[in-house]
Amino acid sequence: MTSLIELSLKEVADKLKNREVTATEVTKACLERIKDRNEQINAYVHLTEDKALDMASQCDKRIKEGNARLIGGVPLGIKDIFCTKGDLTTVCSHILDGFRPPYESTVTENLWKSGAVMLGKTNMDEFAMGSSNETSYYGPARNPWNLDCVPGGSSGGSAAAVADYQCFGATGTDTGGSIRQPAAFNGIVGMKPTYGRCSRYGVIAFASSLDQAGPMARTVEDTALMLRCMSGYDPMDSTSADLAIEAYDEGLADLDLKGLKIGLPKEYFMEGLDPQIADLVKQAVKRFEEQGAEVKEVSLPHTDAAVATYYVVAPAEAAANLSRYDGMRYGLRVEGENLMDTYERTRSEGFGWEVKRRIMIGNYVLSSGYYDAYYTKAQKVRSLISQDFKNAFEDVDVIFAPTTPTTAFKLGENSDDPVQMYMNDVFTLPASLAGLPAISVPAGLVEGMPAGLQIIGKAFEDKKVLQVAYAHEQMCGFELKKPE
Amino acid sequence: MRQDYEMVIGLEVHAQLTTNSKLFSGSSAEFGAEPNTQTCPVDLGMPGVLPVLNTRAVDMGIKFGLAIDANINRVNRFDRKNYFYPDLPKGYQISQMDYPIVEGGYVDIELEDGSEKRINVTRMHLEEDAGKSIHDLGEDRHSHVDLNRAGVPLMEIVSEPELRTAEEAGEYLKKLRSILRFLEVCDGNMEQGSMRCDANVSVRKKGEDKLNTRVEIKNLNSIRNVMRAIEHEAERQIAIYEYGGEIDQETRLWDATKNETRTMRSKEDAHDYRYFPCPDLLPVRIPEDRIEELKKEMPELPDQKKERFMKEYGLSKYDASVLSMQRASANFYESLVNGNRDAKICANWMMGDFFAALNKAGKDISESPISPEQLGELMDLISEGTISGKIAKTVFEEMFETSRSAKAIVEEKGLVQINDTGAIEAIIEDLMQQSPENVQAFREGKTKVMGWFVGQTMKATQGKANPAMVNQILQQKLQG
């Protein structure tokens, strides 16, 4: 018999609704699994056990009263970047030691309104700056497929928790690939919706023009259902899109693959891409072709400038976004001789190396005399990258690409070489810069480790992206490793 | 100041808007609450929270642009200005750098010699205020931060360097304040800091075109201080040039008690603010119909009012200008005239006794103890002949002190003018009998004694006799 924790999010939601299980039972099962596994995986950094059980019992009461909600009683992991009222929220940084926000992020608020239960805060790279979870102040999370490997990042804790059956789904945020890359590394589904779908209110900012919250789960249907519960217009976020919430999880199988036009960007199949991952993508494409889809080569000519562009834009915004951590009002404060000294000591001790590196880069590219050469130019290139996608989408409905050039690497393997680390995001950055919806779905295994297929869609065609991902999932037959 | 030099002055005015809430949050923007009680996570720069633009502030900005006949930028943008200070919770101020909401426009000023001058405005942008730091407070001499002001909306209004004297600078500020008050977008209170001014000052030899190094002066909390600081700074600069020295580009602080400016920071210490577009806010797009709607809401502005007062009430330019400068005084004046009272006499009364009394009491017209209706009643008593102009002054003083009506005072004190010919004749005849020698003197041509008779008649009636009647009857009787 399949144990409770192995159920999909959708399955457990149905069982809860049908009163086959109680939210308390499900929540306890997850908490037990977390306690059993956290020492090895380190997916959770702040467990909120009391809150989880309290929320679960409230769900049970509602379900008993016949007021079941969309995902009533389903326990989720929440990335440590989402402010949840009264709980430790630290972006896995020393500088936010002890910080408990007096407010709730809109995304988590939406999830609670849909009946979800919060298990705790998941591990991540400090301030979401990293692709391996190694910059976390609380130590790295590990990849359940191979504990010597990284789970990816920055949403590494969320991905590992989902892949290791420590929750039914988890929230992530994606600034340059932080949902898709760890999803690919852990053999799960992770989606970065169109910029503006999910409110950024209460999500601790890294790079505001790129940050986008999204769901991470074990199936496409679960991902779609979670997105439905997370997303929606929010007047508290001026950049959120004023569009109705779609029932993303409904009609996933309704897409007619016949005549679907799939684009393969030639620039993505480049040196550095593991040929076995390239093969997995091509196999996926072939299955669609067999169902009557048309496949075309497309060109995204500015792809090679995406990494450089991203590493100007994101640090510039981050440098300003992180200025508020000055030890004056909350979080860490290291007293100095005078004001400047207090600032310096607080920020020197509070931030890790990767965060400091990006603050330095950001302030450099914004400083007078360099602004035009870096920031202005990066904005121009960013428009060109967007335009590349617009041109490509004249001819195709969706774009298929690998999510990452390699499968999960070993801990410590890239940590001395930031540029090598940054290159890991080469396939995910362009869609981030263009604000487009993009999903990573498991494409198969390469030497025992999972690899992801990335599907990129037109702006606000999130549903179509999910439908195509669903079709792929059905044909691919990928299976997640069972819990030990 | 030496006659061969002239000043080149440009002013930067920060005007706090009278919106109910802050520029990017729902916190109250009201002045004077307990420290740190009017704040929310957005004002405090808490992690993850986001600014949402207050559209009322944008409307106020548009109205100001319309009032000075400026360009309203249909697309404008907010930027982040980065610097660290404890009263700046986010470590950046949200301001407008490259695309301000308003560009161009002008303010016309009138000078003491009657001449007029047009001062062009470079730009006006919206930005959030910082909190307030209070240093060396208490025994431990700690610094304290009040974030009630953090996020309060400001308009920064930058003039072209076209002001040439301290008087021009003063008149520009008065006019600007008057426009802001008419628009009801700023209360213009410099002492409380709801209107603040920094002055950029340089000097040059008359006839030269070049702009010399300028100095920015801060901490100017009244129009008078702005004028004094400019005068002193110009003198300082001239002295340096005369001794062959150079002016350093720097920011100086005005010390009103010592009557001097002193260095606050030099050019080398100038911040690199690393401005860039704020990614949390979309560019502000102002639709055409919004501007049209706001045009309909525009009040009559000081210049328009002045013109109308001259035309409609036949006032002199000076009177019209004085009465129209403040909305409250203009409204008071118009209620006083009330469509039928003599416009010129009303103006004289207001600008004479009324303003003098307000001045003496240190009161603003909005705090006047008497209403235009009450003052009007007093003037009606004069024009009907119920009281004399002289008595009216006494009645006015009492009214101002007690806020009582003129009629009540006149009746209580029996101040009604004596217009009864018989009664006045009786008094005069009595007087003539009592002092025949004065009658004699008058008849011998010493007409000066007429004054004695008038005085005695007024004394006998406690000043209530109608002076015109007294004169007329005396002439008749004395001439026999």
mmCIF file of all heavy atoms in Angstrom, chain A residues 99 103 200 202-203 208 235 238 320-321 323-325 329-330 343 363 367-368 371, chain B residues 44-48 51-52 80 82 84-86 89-90 92 272 274-275 280 282:
data_model
loop_
_atom_site.group_PDB
_atom_site.id
_atom_site.type_symbol
_atom_site.label_atom_id
_atom_site.label_comp_id
_atom_site.label_asym_id
_atom_site.label_seq_id
_atom_site.Cartn_x
_atom_site.Cartn_y
_atom_site.Cartn_z
ATOM 1 N N PHE A 99 14.066 37.520 12.996
ATOM 2 C CA PHE A 99 13.015 38.371 12.429
ATOM 3 C C PHE A 99 11.694 37.609 12.269
ATOM 4 O O PHE A 99 11.633 36.572 11.625
ATOM 5 C CB PHE A 99 13.454 38.940 11.077
ATOM 6 C CG PHE A 99 12.392 39.795 10.436
ATOM 7 C CD1 PHE A 99 12.003 40.991 11.027
ATOM 8 C CD2 PHE A 99 11.763 39.396 9.267
ATOM 9 C CE1 PHE A 99 11.005 41.775 10.458
ATOM 10 C CE2 PHE A 99 10.766 40.176 8.694
ATOM 11 C CZ PHE A 99 10.389 41.363 9.289
ATOM 12 N N TYR A 103 3.340 40.754 9.456
ATOM 13 C CA TYR A 103 2.410 40.758 8.309
ATOM 14 C C TYR A 103 2.615 39.474 7.514
ATOM 15 O O TYR A 103 3.606 38.773 7.707
ATOM 16 C CB TYR A 103 2.646 41.992 7.416
ATOM 17 C CG TYR A 103 4.103 42.240 7.135
ATOM 18 C CD1 TYR A 103 4.735 41.650 6.035
ATOM 19 C CD2 TYR A 103 4.874 43.013 7.992
ATOM 20 C CE1 TYR A 103 6.087 41.843 5.810
ATOM 21 C CE2 TYR A 103 6.225 43.209 7.781
ATOM 22 C CZ TYR A 103 6.819 42.621 6.682
ATOM 23 O OH TYR A 103 8.156 42.797 6.461
ATOM 24 N N ARG A 200 4.116 40.000 -5.241
ATOM 25 C CA ARG A 200 5.413 40.019 -4.561
ATOM 26 C C ARG A 200 5.288 40.593 -3.153
ATOM 27 O O ARG A 200 6.277 40.663 -2.423
ATOM 28 C CB ARG A 200 6.421 40.845 -5.372
ATOM 29 C CG ARG A 200 6.839 40.180 -6.680
ATOM 30 C CD ARG A 200 7.947 40.945 -7.388
ATOM 31 N NE ARG A 200 7.534 42.278 -7.757
ATOM 32 C CZ ARG A 200 8.010 43.403 -7.212
ATOM 33 N NH1 ARG A 200 8.932 43.360 -6.272
ATOM 34 N NH2 ARG A 200 7.573 44.576 -7.602
ATOM 35 N N GLY A 202 5.213 40.942 0.495
ATOM 36 C CA GLY A 202 5.622 40.048 1.579
ATOM 37 C C GLY A 202 6.629 39.000 1.165
ATOM 38 O O GLY A 202 6.979 38.136 1.954
ATOM 39 N N VAL A 203 7.086 39.058 -0.079
ATOM 40 C CA VAL A 203 8.170 38.183 -0.519
ATOM 41 C C VAL A 203 9.435 39.032 -0.421
ATOM 42 O O VAL A 203 9.521 40.086 -1.058
ATOM 43 C CB VAL A 203 7.971 37.710 -1.977
ATOM 44 C CG1 VAL A 203 9.122 36.808 -2.408
ATOM 45 C CG2 VAL A 203 6.640 36.989 -2.131
ATOM 46 N N SER A 208 13.655 43.035 -7.815
ATOM 47 C CA SER A 208 12.211 43.242 -7.928
ATOM 48 C C SER A 208 11.640 43.054 -9.326
ATOM 49 O O SER A 208 10.517 42.597 -9.471
ATOM 50 C CB SER A 208 11.870 44.644 -7.435
ATOM 51 O OG SER A 208 12.564 44.914 -6.235
ATOM 52 N N PRO A 235 -3.649 44.528 -5.134
ATOM 53 C CA PRO A 235 -3.426 45.982 -5.167
ATOM 54 C C PRO A 235 -2.209 46.422 -4.350
ATOM 55 O O PRO A 235 -1.730 47.546 -4.513
ATOM 56 C CB PRO A 235 -4.722 46.561 -4.578
ATOM 57 C CG PRO A 235 -5.435 45.426 -3.932
ATOM 58 C CD PRO A 235 -4.967 44.167 -4.587
ATOM 59 N N SER A 238 2.176 46.872 -7.089
ATOM 60 C CA SER A 238 1.872 47.663 -8.289
ATOM 61 C C SER A 238 2.250 46.944 -9.574
ATOM 62 O O SER A 238 1.796 47.315 -10.647
ATOM 63 C CB SER A 238 2.621 48.997 -8.241
ATOM 64 O OG SER A 238 2.413 49.625 -7.013
ATOM 65 N N ALA A 320 20.151 47.975 -3.873
ATOM 66 C CA ALA A 320 19.215 48.910 -3.244
ATOM 67 C C ALA A 320 18.254 48.167 -2.312
ATOM 68 O O ALA A 320 17.998 48.618 -1.191
ATOM 69 C CB ALA A 320 18.443 49.676 -4.306
ATOM 70 N N ASN A 321 17.746 47.027 -2.775
ATOM 71 C CA ASN A 321 16.780 46.274 -1.951
ATOM 72 C C ASN A 321 17.370 45.857 -0.608
ATOM 73 O O ASN A 321 16.656 45.741 0.385
ATOM 74 C CB ASN A 321 16.306 45.021 -2.687
ATOM 75 C CG ASN A 321 15.261 45.337 -3.744
ATOM 76 O OD1 ASN A 321 14.540 46.331 -3.640
ATOM 77 N ND2 ASN A 321 15.186 44.506 -4.763
ATOM 78 N N SER A 323 19.649 47.495 1.099
ATOM 79 C CA SER A 323 20.148 48.616 1.902
ATOM 80 C C SER A 323 19.414 48.733 3.227
ATOM 81 O O SER A 323 19.932 49.300 4.186
ATOM 82 C CB SER A 323 19.985 49.937 1.145
ATOM 83 O OG SER A 323 20.851 49.959 0.044
ATOM 84 N N ARG A 324 18.177 48.237 3.274
ATOM 85 C CA ARG A 324 17.388 48.393 4.499
ATOM 86 C C ARG A 324 17.920 47.558 5.661
ATOM 87 O O ARG A 324 17.550 47.785 6.800
ATOM 88 C CB ARG A 324 15.920 48.046 4.220
ATOM 89 C CG ARG A 324 15.688 46.601 3.860
ATOM 90 C CD ARG A 324 14.258 46.379 3.386
ATOM 91 N NE ARG A 324 13.984 47.151 2.166
ATOM 92 C CZ ARG A 324 12.787 47.425 1.701
ATOM 93 N NH1 ARG A 324 11.729 47.010 2.358
ATOM 94 N NH2 ARG A 324 12.619 48.110 0.581
ATOM 95 N N TYR A 325 18.792 46.606 5.361
ATOM 96 C CA TYR A 325 19.327 45.770 6.435
ATOM 97 C C TYR A 325 20.533 46.478 7.044
ATOM 98 O O TYR A 325 21.674 46.245 6.663
ATOM 99 C CB TYR A 325 19.661 44.363 5.905
ATOM 100 C CG TYR A 325 18.468 43.781 5.202
ATOM 101 C CD1 TYR A 325 18.404 43.700 3.820
ATOM 102 C CD2 TYR A 325 17.349 43.387 5.938
ATOM 103 C CE1 TYR A 325 17.269 43.224 3.178
ATOM 104 C CE2 TYR A 325 16.211 42.917 5.316
ATOM 105 C CZ TYR A 325 16.176 42.833 3.928
ATOM 106 O OH TYR A 325 15.047 42.384 3.303
ATOM 107 N N ARG A 329 16.531 48.637 12.820
ATOM 108 C CA ARG A 329 15.136 48.398 13.223
ATOM 109 C C ARG A 329 14.798 46.936 13.520
ATOM 110 O O ARG A 329 13.884 46.657 14.280
ATOM 111 C CB ARG A 329 14.189 48.932 12.145
ATOM 112 C CG ARG A 329 14.279 50.427 11.947
ATOM 113 C CD ARG A 329 13.503 50.894 10.724
ATOM 114 N NE ARG A 329 13.875 50.178 9.518
ATOM 115 C CZ ARG A 329 15.008 50.354 8.856
ATOM 116 N NH1 ARG A 329 15.875 51.242 9.264
ATOM 117 N NH2 ARG A 329 15.280 49.644 7.780
ATOM 118 N N TYR A 330 15.480 45.991 12.887
ATOM 119 C CA TYR A 330 15.161 44.576 13.106
ATOM 120 C C TYR A 330 16.368 43.752 12.676
ATOM 121 O O TYR A 330 17.278 44.260 12.025
ATOM 122 C CB TYR A 330 13.917 44.164 12.288
ATOM 123 C CG TYR A 330 13.944 44.646 10.864
ATOM 124 C CD1 TYR A 330 14.759 44.029 9.908
ATOM 125 C CD2 TYR A 330 13.201 45.754 10.461
ATOM 126 C CE1 TYR A 330 14.818 44.483 8.611
ATOM 127 C CE2 TYR A 330 13.261 46.227 9.158
ATOM 128 C CZ TYR A 330 14.062 45.576 8.239
ATOM 129 O OH TYR A 330 14.140 46.036 6.949
ATOM 130 N N TYR A 343 26.959 50.339 11.018
ATOM 131 C CA TYR A 343 26.540 49.880 9.684
ATOM 132 C C TYR A 343 27.518 48.837 9.153
ATOM 133 O O TYR A 343 27.136 47.773 8.681
ATOM 134 C CB TYR A 343 26.551 51.047 8.687
ATOM 135 C CG TYR A 343 25.360 51.986 8.720
ATOM 136 C CD1 TYR A 343 25.484 53.289 8.232
ATOM 137 C CD2 TYR A 343 24.113 51.576 9.192
ATOM 138 C CE1 TYR A 343 24.408 54.161 8.220
ATOM 139 C CE2 TYR A 343 23.033 52.451 9.177
ATOM 140 C CZ TYR A 343 23.189 53.742 8.696
ATOM 141 O OH TYR A 343 22.129 54.610 8.672
ATOM 142 N N ASN A 363 26.270 48.100 -6.762
ATOM 143 C CA ASN A 363 26.621 49.502 -6.523
ATOM 144 C C ASN A 363 27.609 50.007 -7.576
ATOM 145 O O ASN A 363 27.559 51.167 -7.973
ATOM 146 C CB ASN A 363 27.193 49.677 -5.117
ATOM 147 C CG ASN A 363 26.086 49.688 -4.074
ATOM 148 O OD1 ASN A 363 25.002 50.210 -4.321
ATOM 149 N ND2 ASN A 363 26.341 49.089 -2.931
ATOM 150 N N SER A 367 26.989 53.238 -10.222
ATOM 151 C CA SER A 367 27.699 54.445 -9.799
ATOM 152 C C SER A 367 27.951 55.364 -10.985
ATOM 153 O O SER A 367 27.996 54.937 -12.130
ATOM 154 C CB SER A 367 28.991 54.095 -9.072
ATOM 155 O OG SER A 367 29.764 53.247 -9.867
ATOM 156 N N SER A 368 28.068 56.641 -10.657
ATOM 157 C CA SER A 368 28.162 57.636 -11.725
ATOM 158 C C SER A 368 29.443 57.398 -12.513
ATOM 159 O O SER A 368 30.483 57.086 -11.950
ATOM 160 C CB SER A 368 28.106 59.044 -11.151
ATOM 161 O OG SER A 368 29.362 59.438 -10.713
ATOM 162 N N TYR A 371 27.265 53.947 -14.976
ATOM 163 C CA TYR A 371 25.837 53.653 -15.114
ATOM 164 C C TYR A 371 25.438 53.333 -16.559
ATOM 165 O O TYR A 371 24.809 52.315 -16.827
ATOM 166 C CB TYR A 371 25.047 54.852 -14.597
ATOM 167 C CG TYR A 371 23.554 54.665 -14.571
ATOM 168 C CD1 TYR A 371 22.921 54.089 -13.482
ATOM 169 C CD2 TYR A 371 22.764 55.071 -15.651
ATOM 170 C CE1 TYR A 371 21.547 53.924 -13.457
ATOM 171 C CE2 TYR A 371 21.387 54.903 -15.639
ATOM 172 C CZ TYR A 371 20.781 54.337 -14.532
ATOM 173 O OH TYR A 371 19.425 54.177 -14.527
ATOM 174 N N LEU B 44 8.394 51.729 7.492
ATOM 175 C CA LEU B 44 9.500 51.262 8.322
ATOM 176 C C LEU B 44 10.548 50.515 7.508
ATOM 177 O O LEU B 44 11.570 50.106 8.042
ATOM 178 C CB LEU B 44 8.975 50.346 9.429
ATOM 179 C CG LEU B 44 8.025 50.995 10.440
ATOM 180 C CD1 LEU B 44 7.471 49.963 11.395
ATOM 181 C CD2 LEU B 44 8.749 52.075 11.235
ATOM 182 N N GLY B 45 10.295 50.330 6.223
ATOM 183 C CA GLY B 45 11.253 49.611 5.378
ATOM 184 C C GLY B 45 11.406 48.164 5.817
ATOM 185 O O GLY B 45 12.505 47.633 5.860
ATOM 186 N N MET B 46 10.299 47.520 6.159
ATOM 187 C CA MET B 46 10.360 46.112 6.560
ATOM 188 C C MET B 46 10.615 45.260 5.315
ATOM 189 O O MET B 46 10.308 45.674 4.199
ATOM 190 C CB MET B 46 9.036 45.694 7.213
ATOM 191 C CG MET B 46 8.636 46.513 8.422
ATOM 192 S SD MET B 46 9.586 46.124 9.889
ATOM 193 C CE MET B 46 8.578 44.862 10.605
ATOM 194 N N PRO B 47 11.144 44.055 5.512
ATOM 195 C CA PRO B 47 11.447 43.215 4.346
ATOM 196 C C PRO B 47 10.187 42.778 3.597
ATOM 197 O O PRO B 47 9.192 42.425 4.224
ATOM 198 C CB PRO B 47 12.115 41.981 4.975
ATOM 199 C CG PRO B 47 12.520 42.392 6.344
ATOM 200 C CD PRO B 47 11.555 43.439 6.782
ATOM 201 N N GLY B 48 10.252 42.844 2.267
ATOM 202 C CA GLY B 48 9.185 42.278 1.446
ATOM 203 C C GLY B 48 7.986 43.161 1.175
ATOM 204 O O GLY B 48 7.148 42.810 0.361
ATOM 205 N N PRO B 51 5.795 49.573 -2.130
ATOM 206 C CA PRO B 51 5.129 50.873 -2.205
ATOM 207 C C PRO B 51 3.953 50.836 -3.191
ATOM 208 O O PRO B 51 4.020 50.152 -4.208
ATOM 209 C CB PRO B 51 6.235 51.779 -2.758
ATOM 210 C CG PRO B 51 7.082 50.867 -3.602
ATOM 211 C CD PRO B 51 7.027 49.515 -2.943
ATOM 212 N N VAL B 52 2.886 51.540 -2.851
ATOM 213 C CA VAL B 52 1.776 51.723 -3.793
ATOM 214 C C VAL B 52 1.521 53.227 -3.875
ATOM 215 O O VAL B 52 1.326 53.889 -2.860
ATOM 216 C CB VAL B 52 0.504 50.986 -3.316
ATOM 217 C CG1 VAL B 52 -0.659 51.256 -4.262
ATOM 218 C CG2 VAL B 52 0.761 49.484 -3.205
ATOM 219 N N ARG B 80 14.958 55.396 -7.491
ATOM 220 C CA ARG B 80 15.491 55.236 -6.138
ATOM 221 C C ARG B 80 16.754 56.078 -5.999
ATOM 222 O O ARG B 80 17.634 56.012 -6.860
ATOM 223 C CB ARG B 80 15.844 53.769 -5.878
ATOM 224 C CG ARG B 80 14.630 52.873 -5.768
ATOM 225 C CD ARG B 80 15.056 51.454 -5.467
ATOM 226 N NE ARG B 80 13.912 50.556 -5.380
ATOM 227 C CZ ARG B 80 14.031 49.246 -5.158
ATOM 228 N NH1 ARG B 80 15.240 48.699 -5.016
ATOM 229 N NH2 ARG B 80 12.960 48.493 -5.079
ATOM 230 N N ASN B 82 19.798 56.437 -3.575
ATOM 231 C CA ASN B 82 20.390 55.581 -2.546
ATOM 232 C C ASN B 82 21.348 56.311 -1.619
ATOM 233 O O ASN B 82 22.303 56.940 -2.075
ATOM 234 C CB ASN B 82 21.170 54.446 -3.227
ATOM 235 C CG ASN B 82 20.271 53.530 -4.025
ATOM 236 O OD1 ASN B 82 19.545 52.708 -3.469
ATOM 237 N ND2 ASN B 82 20.294 53.680 -5.345
ATOM 238 N N PHE B 84 22.614 55.944 2.892
ATOM 239 C CA PHE B 84 22.340 55.366 4.206
ATOM 240 C C PHE B 84 22.140 56.459 5.240
ATOM 241 O O PHE B 84 22.951 57.368 5.353
ATOM 242 C CB PHE B 84 23.529 54.506 4.663
ATOM 243 C CG PHE B 84 23.582 53.154 4.001
ATOM 244 C CD1 PHE B 84 24.389 52.927 2.904
ATOM 245 C CD2 PHE B 84 22.812 52.112 4.495
ATOM 246 C CE1 PHE B 84 24.434 51.677 2.299
ATOM 247 C CE2 PHE B 84 22.848 50.861 3.907
ATOM 248 C CZ PHE B 84 23.667 50.638 2.804
ATOM 249 N N TYR B 85 21.071 56.381 5.976
ATOM 250 C CA TYR B 85 20.891 57.213 7.156
ATOM 251 C C TYR B 85 19.769 56.606 7.989
ATOM 252 O O TYR B 85 18.811 56.079 7.440
ATOM 253 C CB TYR B 85 20.580 58.675 6.789
ATOM 254 C CG TYR B 85 20.999 59.606 7.909
ATOM 255 C CD1 TYR B 85 22.351 59.778 8.199
ATOM 256 C CD2 TYR B 85 20.062 60.240 8.705
ATOM 257 C CE1 TYR B 85 22.747 60.571 9.261
ATOM 258 C CE2 TYR B 85 20.451 61.040 9.766
ATOM 259 C CZ TYR B 85 21.800 61.199 10.040
ATOM 260 O OH TYR B 85 22.182 61.971 11.095
ATOM 261 N N PRO B 86 19.876 56.671 9.314
ATOM 262 C CA PRO B 86 18.857 55.991 10.134
ATOM 263 C C PRO B 86 17.430 56.503 9.923
ATOM 264 O O PRO B 86 16.490 55.767 10.163
ATOM 265 C CB PRO B 86 19.322 56.250 11.574
ATOM 266 C CG PRO B 86 20.787 56.454 11.463
ATOM 267 C CD PRO B 86 20.995 57.158 10.149
ATOM 268 N N PRO B 89 14.516 54.636 6.200
ATOM 269 C CA PRO B 89 14.456 53.209 6.552
ATOM 270 C C PRO B 89 14.839 52.250 5.426
ATOM 271 O O PRO B 89 15.408 51.201 5.688
ATOM 272 C CB PRO B 89 13.001 53.005 6.960
ATOM 273 C CG PRO B 89 12.493 54.360 7.311
ATOM 274 C CD PRO B 89 13.242 55.318 6.445
ATOM 275 N N LYS B 90 14.520 52.568 4.192
ATOM 276 C CA LYS B 90 14.825 51.623 3.112
ATOM 277 C C LYS B 90 16.264 51.728 2.621
ATOM 278 O O LYS B 90 16.720 50.902 1.851
ATOM 279 C CB LYS B 90 13.887 51.869 1.913
ATOM 280 C CG LYS B 90 12.409 51.645 2.232
ATOM 281 C CD LYS B 90 11.544 51.706 0.979
ATOM 282 C CE LYS B 90 11.501 53.077 0.324
ATOM 283 N NZ LYS B 90 10.902 54.122 1.156
ATOM 284 N N TYR B 92 17.041 53.989 0.704
ATOM 285 C CA TYR B 92 16.876 54.808 -0.507
ATOM 286 C C TYR B 92 15.581 55.590 -0.369
ATOM 287 O O TYR B 92 14.671 55.190 0.360
ATOM 288 C CB TYR B 92 16.867 53.969 -1.793
ATOM 289 C CG TYR B 92 15.830 52.879 -1.856
ATOM 290 C CD1 TYR B 92 14.522 53.136 -2.226
ATOM 291 C CD2 TYR B 92 16.169 51.558 -1.549
ATOM 292 C CE1 TYR B 92 13.569 52.138 -2.287
ATOM 293 C CE2 TYR B 92 15.230 50.548 -1.601
ATOM 294 C CZ TYR B 92 13.919 50.846 -1.971
ATOM 295 O OH TYR B 92 12.987 49.851 -2.023
ATOM 296 N N ASP B 272 27.235 59.904 -4.124
ATOM 297 C CA ASP B 272 26.839 59.376 -5.425
ATOM 298 C C ASP B 272 25.559 58.605 -5.136
ATOM 299 O O ASP B 272 25.584 57.542 -4.525
ATOM 300 C CB ASP B 272 27.930 58.439 -5.968
ATOM 301 C CG ASP B 272 27.529 57.836 -7.310
ATOM 302 O OD1 ASP B 272 26.408 58.112 -7.778
ATOM 303 O OD2 ASP B 272 28.340 57.089 -7.884
ATOM 304 N N ARG B 274 23.456 57.088 -6.954
ATOM 305 C CA ARG B 274 23.182 55.870 -7.734
ATOM 306 C C ARG B 274 21.688 55.720 -8.072
ATOM 307 O O ARG B 274 21.077 54.686 -7.844
ATOM 308 C CB ARG B 274 23.706 54.630 -6.996
ATOM 309 C CG ARG B 274 25.183 54.744 -6.615
ATOM 310 C CD ARG B 274 25.733 53.502 -5.976
ATOM 311 N NE ARG B 274 24.979 53.036 -4.844
ATOM 312 C CZ ARG B 274 25.039 53.548 -3.605
ATOM 313 N NH1 ARG B 274 25.871 54.555 -3.335
ATOM 314 N NH2 ARG B 274 24.312 53.055 -2.651
ATOM 315 N N TYR B 275 21.135 56.795 -8.602
ATOM 316 C CA TYR B 275 19.722 56.762 -9.021
ATOM 317 C C TYR B 275 19.469 55.655 -10.036
ATOM 318 O O TYR B 275 20.271 55.464 -10.958
ATOM 319 C CB TYR B 275 19.375 58.068 -9.725
ATOM 320 C CG TYR B 275 19.098 59.254 -8.838
ATOM 321 C CD1 TYR B 275 20.083 60.198 -8.576
ATOM 322 C CD2 TYR B 275 17.828 59.462 -8.324
ATOM 323 C CE1 TYR B 275 19.816 61.316 -7.790
ATOM 324 C CE2 TYR B 275 17.554 60.582 -7.545
ATOM 325 C CZ TYR B 275 18.538 61.491 -7.290
ATOM 326 O OH TYR B 275 18.264 62.598 -6.529
ATOM 327 N N ASP B 280 9.757 48.602 -8.252
ATOM 328 C CA ASP B 280 8.515 48.238 -7.571
ATOM 329 C C ASP B 280 7.316 49.029 -8.080
ATOM 330 O O ASP B 280 6.183 48.747 -7.708
ATOM 331 C CB ASP B 280 8.644 48.491 -6.060
ATOM 332 C CG ASP B 280 9.529 47.453 -5.388
ATOM 333 O OD1 ASP B 280 9.588 46.324 -5.896
ATOM 334 O OD2 ASP B 280 10.155 47.784 -4.361
ATOM 335 N N LEU B 282 5.340 51.007 -11.434
ATOM 336 C CA LEU B 282 5.245 51.142 -12.881
ATOM 337 C C LEU B 282 5.398 52.620 -13.234
ATOM 338 O O LEU B 282 5.151 53.487 -12.393
ATOM 339 C CB LEU B 282 3.880 50.644 -13.347
ATOM 340 C CG LEU B 282 3.561 49.182 -13.025
ATOM 341 C CD1 LEU B 282 2.107 48.869 -13.365
ATOM 342 C CD2 LEU B 282 4.493 48.250 -13.796
#
